[in-house]
Amino acid sequence: MPSLLEALERKYGAKGEVNPPIDDMPVAIFVPKRSPRLSVPTLLVLNDCDIDCAGDPCALADKCADVVELDIANNKLTEWQEVFAVLEQTPRVRFLNLSFNRLSAQIQAAQALRPRWDSLSHLVLNSTYVGWPSVHALLKALPALEELHLSLNEYSYVDLSGNEVNEKDRCEECSRLNIETTDTVHEQLKKLHFSGNPVSSWREISKLGYAFPNLETLLLNDCPITTLEPDPCEKCQDDNGNKKSHDAFPHLRFLNLNNTGLATWDEVDRLARFPALKSLRVQGWPLWERFESTEHERRLLLVARLPHVRTLNGGGAVPVEERDAAERAFIRYYMEKPESDRPDRYWELVGIHGKLDPLVSVDLRPEKRVQITFTCGDNSEVRTIDVYRTVSDLKTRLERLAGFPASKMRLFYVDQELRDTQGPEEMKYPTKQLYSYNIRSGDEIIIDSKLKHSISANSTA
């Protein structure tokens, strides 16, 4: 199998240098002596090249002196000494991707004592099966590391103590490690990808927060976490019960919990207590399967329960108007429930908005059919439409009224209450459902032609 140097030479040529010697440069007219492909780029990608070692250090250092991003995923590296040899010859590398190289061999003590690599800030170790002692050694050797990827490594527990794990310290019931660790391991780390690991205990996840006290971004999607309670396992229960879910994450701003096993509204309430959390992803929960509702209903209840979260499941920031409407809908939703079923958030919102008059219907779903005025040029027509249709479907149904095909059509939504202050909003996204515009009876949709604008632009050119 080839070395990194050999794979590099196959791709960019064996005789190329990063910078041509000054003595070889012509004085009057520059005539390139080598193909541009012989220049090693600063962003070097050598995936799937069967690389198993670094190669000649002097030649590698000469070629890779200016490389700042190195992607050598999906190769055959198995020994950390070869990875360190690569790092020694690429002193300017800030980003290193080693994903899908089998690096389960432990870093030896002698290797861990080598000089630190102060430039490396992003390290990707997805599906490398790197052991926790090796992760600990790497963190100590990379003081500038800001982003670490440890996804798909089959971790069922977290151990950043730097010691070998004794199997007797693992709980047979929940597979977590019964060793309490709250020591700081790396203060610079801000972003951690931990997706797709079979960790089910939040107590284990909390160890990541204590190890990285300044963590701002954490991705835990596709982990089988069933609750955010710090110590839910009865078999290995200890004095950890006084700790809260958010204690280990004082600076966490972004959290991805998509496709986890969280199944109750209590978990959402625990997320609301994270002090710095601003962006959250909570799709694919069993809770949404048990709670019969539309996507619109779920969003209303989530926005109301999460007062400090600004972006929910991607997209833009939650508007003030939407939050106010969600909180009022939340109050009315629980007004009809027994007092014992009302969450603490209900009483908080009653303190803000007061006790509201009940609506005729407490159904949070938007009105299914509304009457809208459609205007196309000098023609206007009132139609009843289904708000669960998409923009694309609506365009198709308006072809006869407009007199031109949907592919040439532009739609502009006019809110009757905001007509004078906001103006028309273009309905740009074909798959977006109409209810997401908060569309109501009495509003207007203007039909315009893309062709007209094209002709106008050509005439003025």
Side-chain angles (χ1 to χ4, degrees), residues 77-139:
L77 291 166
T78 59
E79 299 296 331
W80 281 105
Q81 64 183 23
E82 297 300 331
V83 175
F84 294 144
V86 171
L87 285 172
E88 287 173 1
Q89 310 312 324
T90 54
R92 297 183 60 192
V93 162
R94 298 195 299 266
F95 172 93
L96 176 62
N97 185 3
L98 295 167
S99 295
F100 301 99
N101 287 279
R102 192 78 179 199
L103 292 167
S104 54
Q106 186 170 325
I107 295 175
Q108 302 302 315
Q111 296 172 332
L113 292 174
R114 295 191 179 201
R116 304 189 308 176
W117 291 278
D118 295 331
S119 62
L120 192 63
S121 59
H122 295 71
L123 178 61
V124 187
L125 297 172
N126 296 333
S127 199
T128 56
Y129 301 96
V130 56
W132 284 118
S134 295
V135 173
H136 184 271
L138 287 168
L139 290 167

Side-chain angles (χ1 to χ4, degrees), residues 316-330:
V318 177
V320 175
E321 299 81 5
E322 182 185 3
R323 186 172 297 281
D324 183 76
E327 291 175 352
R328 292 176 182 275
F330 186 87

Side-chain angles (χ1 to χ4, degrees), residues 111 118 121 187 200 216-217 257 284 309 320 382 413 433 441 449:
Q111 296 172 332
D118 295 331
S121 59
E187 293 187 354
S200 59
E216 295 179 357
T217 297
L257 289 169
V309 172
V320 175
V382 177
Y413 166 62
Q433 290 179 297
S441 291
S449 170

Side-chain angles (χ1 to χ4, degrees), residues 193-236:
H193 294 247
F194 203 72
S195 307
N197 285 304
V199 174
S200 59
S201 167
W202 190 255
R203 180 184 173 190
E204 293 300 303
I205 297 298
S206 293
K207 292 176 184 178
L208 298 171
Y210 292 122
F212 312 124
N214 294 309
L215 198 65
E216 295 179 357
T217 297
L218 178 60
L219 285 81
L220 298 170
N221 46 297
D222 300 296
C223 294
I225 301 165
T226 55
T227 179
L228 302 182
E229 283 186 301
D231 196 8
C233 179
E234 294 182 2
K235 186 166 184 177
C236 58

Side-chain angles (χ1 to χ4, degrees), residues 395-457:
K395 285 183 177 180
T396 301
R397 293 172 180 271
L398 292 173
E399 287 181 335
R400 182 174 296 180
L401 173 63
F404 46 85
S407 60
K408 303 296 183 183
M409 195 180 297
R410 300 173 70 192
L411 300 182
F412 295 86
Y413 166 62
V414 182
D415 188 315
Q416 59 183 328
E417 295 183 359
L418 302 176
R419 180 187 298 269
D420 296 331
T421 58
Q422 183 171 296
E425 175 186 359
E426 184 170 2
M427 304 169 79
K428 295 181 179 180
Y429 306 105
T431 59
K432 194 171 182 178
Q433 290 179 297
L434 301 180
Y435 75 78
S436 61
Y437 289 93
N438 293 319
I439 197 165
R440 291 161 294 175
S441 291
D443 290 342
E444 180 184 10
I445 292 179
I446 299 172
I447 308 168
D448 201 3
S449 170
K450 294 179 182 178
L451 183 62
K452 180 179 69 176
H453 288 271
S454 175
I455 294 172
S456 176

